[in-house]
Amino acid sequence: MNKALYAIILCALIAGNNGVLIKLMDTFSTGSIAFFRTMVPVLVLSPVLFSKSKPIFTGNYKRMLWASAINVGRLYLYLMAFIYTSIGNAVVLIYSWPIFVFLIESNYYKRPLKRQQVLLLLLAFLGMVITYANKSFSFENDDMVGMIAAVLSALGYAITVVMFKSESDNYSQEQIIIFQNLVSSVFFLPFIFFLPELQWSQVGIGIFYGLLIGLVVFKLFFYGLKYLSAATASGLMYLEIISAIALGYFVLDENLGVNTAIGGLLILTSSYLITRTNTKKE
């Protein structure tokens, strides 16, 4: 049990490096960063991909490939969020994804919303309004572009979470990681040939990013989830937000705005409570 707790805590703290690593790859295009993020895990886990004892293309693999395809757009938007706005803005909005999971599952399973749930959704909406309140609504505003990308990425992630979760009993952890990255690794492959100049330091960061975020983070999370309840694991993962904001401040001198702090607190409170409520029902 203690090892599982430490695994999730370590996972959350490591995941907080996402924004800093993305911003350090400042000579790479969004597509090039996405290539490293997805291709490295696929290459490392290639024995799983070509295993004959546990073939990956069995069961409802078409659903998994659809989820993998959706992840292409989700990942691109995710990277855009961190590139165009601050780490604080991006991470608090991306963590609205449990709210979207709740809405998708409520619609799919035809579950009527209770008063408490409606109030939590309104709380999240208020948080988003406050977060955006001091930004001019223009696509020439980088902050606005990044924040919209963060919300859309959260929606895309929620869709893939629901799809992958529906098949989680039929595939191993490694196979799910493969499916998560498979279509994206092929889709973003051409971007690597259009780099303005090859800088090995940037390539090194890209490979490290793919290993750390694409592989280590998910292995730790799945290990912890095996021994802990979903509520405990999800709750501990909110440490990623603190880790990301702290690293943004100490490494990149980014400050957290008042609107983001207040709005983010409302969004994360709503998201956390919805996650807890959903898990108790399962």
Side-chain angles (χ1 to χ4, degrees), residues 19 26 30 41 51 53 66 77 79 94 119 121 136 139-140 163-164 170 216 219 221 236 239 244 255 265 277:
D26 52 359
T30 308
S51 172
S53 59
W66 271 113
L77 289 165
L79 295 173
I94 285 169
L119 290 175
L121 292 173
S136 59
F139 286 105
E140 294 180 359
M163 295 179 75
F164 284 133
N170 302 321
V216 174
K219 287 289 290 181
F221 181 75
L236 288 172
L239 288 171
N255 292 313
L265 182 61
T277 302

Side-chain angles (χ1 to χ4, degrees), residues 108-126:
Y108 183 80
Y109 294 111
K110 308 298 180 184
R111 297 171 181 163
L113 297 178
K114 296 182 178 179
R115 183 167 177 252
Q116 179 190 13
Q117 295 166 337
V118 172
L119 290 175
L120 287 175
L121 292 173
L122 290 174
L123 183 68
F125 179 73
L126 176 62

Side-chain angles (χ1 to χ4, degrees), residues 12-13 16 91 237-248 268:
L13 295 177
V91 75
M237 279 305 297
Y238 281 83
L239 288 171
E240 179 185 346
I241 300 160
I242 299 171
S243 173
I245 292 173
L247 286 168
L268 298 176

Side-chain angles (χ1 to χ4, degrees), residues 75-262:
L75 179 60
Y76 194 86
L77 289 165
Y78 181 91
L79 295 173
M80 278 185 62
F82 283 101
I83 290 170
Y84 281 93
T85 190
S86 68
I87 291 173
N89 284 343
V91 75
V92 298
L93 290 170
I94 285 169
Y95 258 85
S96 64
W97 67 264
I99 298 169
F100 291 117
V101 169
F102 168 72
L103 289 171
I104 291 168
E105 289 188 333
S106 295
N107 181 66
Y108 183 80
Y109 294 111
K110 308 298 180 184
R111 297 171 181 163
L113 297 178
K114 296 182 178 179
R115 183 167 177 252
Q116 179 190 13
Q117 295 166 337
V118 172
L119 290 175
L120 287 175
L121 292 173
L122 290 174
L123 183 68
F125 179 73
L126 176 62
M128 288 187 183
V129 170
I130 293 173
T131 304
Y132 284 101
N134 65 335
K135 305 290 189 301
S136 59
F137 193 83
S138 169
F139 286 105
E140 294 180 359
N141 183 333
D142 283 353
D143 260 347
M144 181 59 67
V145 170
M147 292 166 79
I148 291 173
V151 174
L152 293 176
S153 174
L155 173 59
Y157 186 65
I159 294 170
T160 60
V161 163
V162 173
M163 295 179 75
F164 284 133
K165 181 181 177 182
S166 68
E167 297 296 321
S168 59
D169 292 336
N170 302 321
Y171 298 94
S172 68
Q173 298 168 8
E174 290 79 11
Q175 286 176 325
I176 293 174
I177 294 174
I178 285 285
F179 274 117
Q180 185 188 45
N181 296 287
L182 188 59
V183 176
S184 296
S185 63
V186 175
F187 181 87
F188 291 116
L189 178 61
F191 287 86
I192 203 66
F193 299 108
F194 295 97
L195 294 176
E197 56 181 304
L198 187 62
Q199 296 185 14
W200 288 108
S201 60
Q202 295 275 285
V203 172
I205 295 173
I207 294 172
F208 178 71
Y209 175 58
L211 284 171
L212 189 69
I213 304 300
L215 194 59
V216 174
V217 163
F218 283 97
K219 287 289 290 181
L220 285 170
F221 181 75
F222 286 135
Y223 173 80
L225 195 61
K226 183 178 179 180
Y227 300 101
L228 299 172
S229 68
T232 301
S234 300
L236 288 172
M237 279 305 297
Y238 281 83
L239 288 171
E240 179 185 346
I241 300 160
I242 299 171
S243 173
I245 292 173
L247 286 168
Y249 177 79
F250 288 110
V251 178
L252 301 174
D253 294 322
E254 288 190 355
N255 292 313
L256 188 66
V258 175
N259 285 63
T260 301
I262 297 173

